[in-house]
Amino acid sequence: MVLGQPSMDGNLGVLALHPRGSGKEQLELLWQLSRSSSMSAVRYALRNGVAVLHVTSPPVNALGAAVRAGLVASMERALADSATGLVVVGDGLTFPAGADITEFGKPPMEPSFGEVMRAFEDADIPTAAAIHGTALGGGFELAMSCHYRVMSSCARVGLPEVHLGILPGAGGTQRLPRLVGADAAAEIMVTGRQVSAEEALALGAVDAVVAKADLEAEAVKVVEASPVRRTKAVLVDGFKDADSIAKLKARATLDAPKSIIQCVEAAVCNDMQDGLAFEEARFRELQGSTQANALQHLFFAERACSKVPGVSPEDAVDVRAAGVVGGGTMGRGIAMCFVDNGLPVTILETSADAAAAAISGVEETYRRSSAFKRGRLTEEALTAKLNLLSSASDVDALKDCDLVVEAVFEDMAVKRSIFADLDRVTKPSCVLASNTSTLSIDGIAGAVADPARVVGMHFFSPANVMRLLENVRGARTGPAAVATAMAMGKRLRKTTVLAGDDFGFIGNRMLEPYGRECLALLRHANCGPELVDAALLEYGMAMGFFQMSDLAGNDIGYAVRTSLGLTDAASRDPAVEYSADVADALARAGRFGQKVGRGWYAYETPRVPSSDPAVAELIAGFKDASLAPDVTRGDVVDRALLALANEGFRVLEEGLALRPSDIDVVWTSGYGFPRHRGGPMQWAADDVGLAEVKATLEALHAARPDVPYLKPAKLLADMADAGAKLGDWEKFL
Ligand code: CAA
């Protein structure tokens, strides 16, 4: 690289300079280099003596090295120009939304965040942030380093670093308590929530709220009329509400929220310098930790999963009207997703009475919701939603729909007959989706003249609450149908993943060996559902396997297994079906779960599981004296979750998931896998290590060679042998 001619990547150019030259020379060179890239990242203008800085770094004006250098250089220029004040604004959609997360894990690049914040706080001219969009993380910290903050009425501020396993490391833990008090600051940072303009003003986080159109002009007026005022000069009182802080501390079980509370305590006790040093030390401990890596992995995973190679979002059909076939629990939930996002929807049922019942069921669900009870959903807004909803018992009512989602029970013949009817009445451009969780999309598409318009859209129950949408591409599904299903996921604000068309798709396919291993554990003398569930809860799963089964209904799996001939002792493979015996016996005893008040647990109080001696008795008949009698919680985690991750590698081998991170998204968004472990693939690769995963599975498989799901998947074995990283998986296919 030639000095003075920055590379396209100004950051790399800066890094390349570091090993040479004295500190002062390096700084000079840094500024020379950064100026050309940073000056395009931060535009400088002097207006009537006030310096106005526009941050221009799409899509979210993240504070990467070029922006940071541009901010510092612009501040220097404003002082050299004898500006009377300085205003910083974000171009485009938002004020900076935080540090550039893609820089995490790379060698630090100058100038540091601390340097930027100091430049703005210590300036001898008044500085103001003009906030629109979402001023998050380092962006809000920059605003707090300014002497004044003016906010557009629809903007939001927040410090969401906790969701990335870190803490606000650019002075946020010290400045927010100085602006809003220790209690509110701790709550905002531990939850990572976004704060509205109205609340930010009431708390004292900002000085004025104005219309977006007046934002920059109002911020200029503020610096023209006000003196220098530094946040660091404010003293912080201690916590006021002991109960709330105790509750917050109890919730703070992960490393990042714990450290955040300690930093707020440091802000109370220390002057700014000491507080900042404390914050920096805690930040360094968190960044690069397993929890931070996992959460940052999910940040990018949840954005990558909506992208399908070879399918352009522009291929999506413009959906103006939707239909839902079936007004049961799933159909109603899916219809609610549509109306919640302003899309008119018609529910088709088999009779006028059933159709009317579906509509009144939806209304009742809204009225029972906490949003309605607490006034967040007003009567007027509810009426507007219900006005988007209609029902019918004649399939012709769906003729103008652009998307129809079928949500009837899992019966191939019934589904095919519905799709044949839809094929007859709907427009050729209408995308036909099935909400099936197990049946073949190709099988359903066979009932339609143009199978390219058939796709799976697997919502999770309750559909209006659960974040995950697992779309399914059949062998003949066309790009328009895929693009429409993916675009609809985004519009419904779901985390949307594309799966291939095989039994159980991604999520339920992996649930199978996970569940079987949980059942197999019951064969050991000391193991009951309580031990398995306690181990999984301790690991961080939202629910234990047996609690989940009781919630979902133990009759459902039994019915599916019966339809596949797997509950018939005469026709099934005893080695493979060994572990399911006990589940079949439970279902035959009528212990269907929460809905009947008894399953793997007893439910004397609805939804509260308690141990039931009758279950212990039932399990006793399935104990295997040849197995170790003393399973530990660690054994449970190893066996259940390594069987799960192993199946994830098979899912990748078979092309059912586009990338390992999609599997992690499915399990963290739809199955309660703990986010701070990143998902089964990230956990196996980053936390346990592939070599150890392989070795443990080999040992388990050697002990039970008849159990196919314990054999390490070829992809896993090859990657482990090569010492490969998860990101290199495609090279091993
Ligand atoms: N750094 C790098 N890239 C970012 C980013 C960031 N902080 N925030 C968003 N992006 C990228 C996304 O990866 C996405 O890229 P692709 O289009 O290539 O997928 C693009 O910007 C748009 O993001 P979204 O799809 O999320 O857009 P949205 O409109 O739905 O949401 C948002 C916008 C609310 C800003 C959301 O992106 C968001 O919450 N971003 C993260 C904010 C955050 O966590 N900030 C704190 C960073 S850590 C920090 O600041 C540490 C510190 O103390 C200094």
Side-chain angles (χ1 to χ4, degrees), residues 59-60 62 97-102 104 113 134 136-139 141 160-161 164 166-170 194 283 299-300 303 307 490:
V60 298
D100 182 345
I101 302 170
T102 60
F104 288 3
F113 274 89
T134 42
L136 303 177
E141 290 173 295
E161 284 85 345
L164 299 169
I166 53 173
L167 53 74
Q194 295 184 10
F283 183 89
F299 177 86
F300 289 110
R303 282 151 184 87
K307 297 175 180 113
K490 191 172 172 107

Side-chain angles (χ1 to χ4, degrees), residues 174 177-178 182 235-239 263-271:
Q174 303 304 298
R178 285 173 163 77
L235 291 175
V236 194
D237 287 340
F239 291 115
C263 286
V264 177
E265 283 165 350
V268 172
C269 304
N270 293 304
D271 71 10

